[in-house]
Amino acid sequence: MTTLRAHFDGKVLIPVGKVDLPTGRELEIDVRDLSEPPRGSPLAILEALKRLPKLPPEDVEALERSIEEGKLPVRDEGIFDDLR
């Protein structure tokens, strides 16, 4: 398998650098946009995080209050300890 990097001018693919491919044969090409990081990559995740909407501080504070209010107390005993 050969990896071919190319630019598209609107009509044809123009290879970047020298290409050693057979002439007169039909070839299959998988196209990937190299200007964007691969899906799921750390760089793609960072880019997605940058596009998240900015939340007002009061919304963040309200969320943190809700999380605190929803926490259950710490239990030292297990839920099945009284069944012995």
Side-chain angles (χ1 to χ4, degrees):
M1 181 193 299
T2 300
T3 300
L4 173 70
R5 289 183 182 252
H7 295 280
F8 184 59
D9 71 355
K11 293 184 180 185
V12 296
L13 291 170
I14 302 170
V16 175
K18 187 177 181 217
V19 179
D20 184 24
L21 294 171
T23 57
R25 293 177 52 190
E26 187 173 317
L27 304 171
E28 182 175 289
I29 301 170
D30 293 321
V31 178
R32 272 185 297 137
D33 185 351
L34 298 178
S35 64
E36 295 185 19
R39 269 182 86 172
S41 70
L43 188 55
I45 293 170
L46 287 174
E47 292 297 322
L49 289 173
K50 289 178 188 174
R51 291 190 298 268
L52 288 175
K54 302 296 182 215
L55 298 175
E58 55 272 9
D59 288 351
V60 174
E61 291 167 7
L63 176 60
E64 288 174 343
R65 272 194 312 278
S66 295
I67 291 170
E68 282 301 316
E69 292 168 2
K71 287 183 178 178
L72 297 174
V74 176
R75 295 175 55 154
D76 290 334
E77 71 279 348
I79 59 173
F80 300 111
D81 285 353
D82 58 350
L83 297 177
R84 290 187 221 172

